[in-house]
Amino acid sequence: MREKQLRLIVAFHTTACAMATERLCKKHGLEGRLISVPRQITSDCGIAWSASPEVRETLDRFLTGAGIETAGVYELFL
């Protein structure tokens, strides 16, 4: 079984915001990927962005600058 790692999880109100985050991160070379929302989190849409916790400040800055609204930002072992 794979060892769990600490991940930054960004939940969204809409699928459109999740998809916009994926495009934004790919454009700026930030690692991460879309995942199903973990059970520990409630979210309006079923998609979240998973990334390394080290990119939190950069990701926050990009999301704010792009006007992408989040439903919450969490750090979980996945």
Side-chain angles (χ1 to χ4, degrees), residues 5-78:
Q5 297 177 334
L6 185 63
R7 300 295 293 171
L8 179 70
I9 306 299
V10 183
F12 302 97
H13 294 291
T14 66
T15 302
C17 287
M19 302 301 284
T21 299
E22 180 181 42
R23 283 190 303 274
L24 181 71
C25 289
K26 285 185 178 186
K27 177 182 174 183
H28 292 284
L30 286 179
E31 72 88 16
R33 65 186 182 102
L34 291 175
I35 62 169
S36 296
V37 174
R39 289 185 207 136
Q40 302 95 315
I41 301 172
T42 56
S43 175
D44 294 333
C45 88
I47 302 172
W49 184 254
S50 173
S52 171
E54 288 82 28
V55 302
R56 185 176 190 146
E57 289 181 26
T58 304
L59 184 57
D60 284 342
R61 189 172 58 250
F62 285 146
L63 292 175
T64 301
I68 299 173
E69 187 177 334
T70 65
V73 179
Y74 309 89
E75 289 188 10
L76 300 172
F77 281 95
L78 300 178

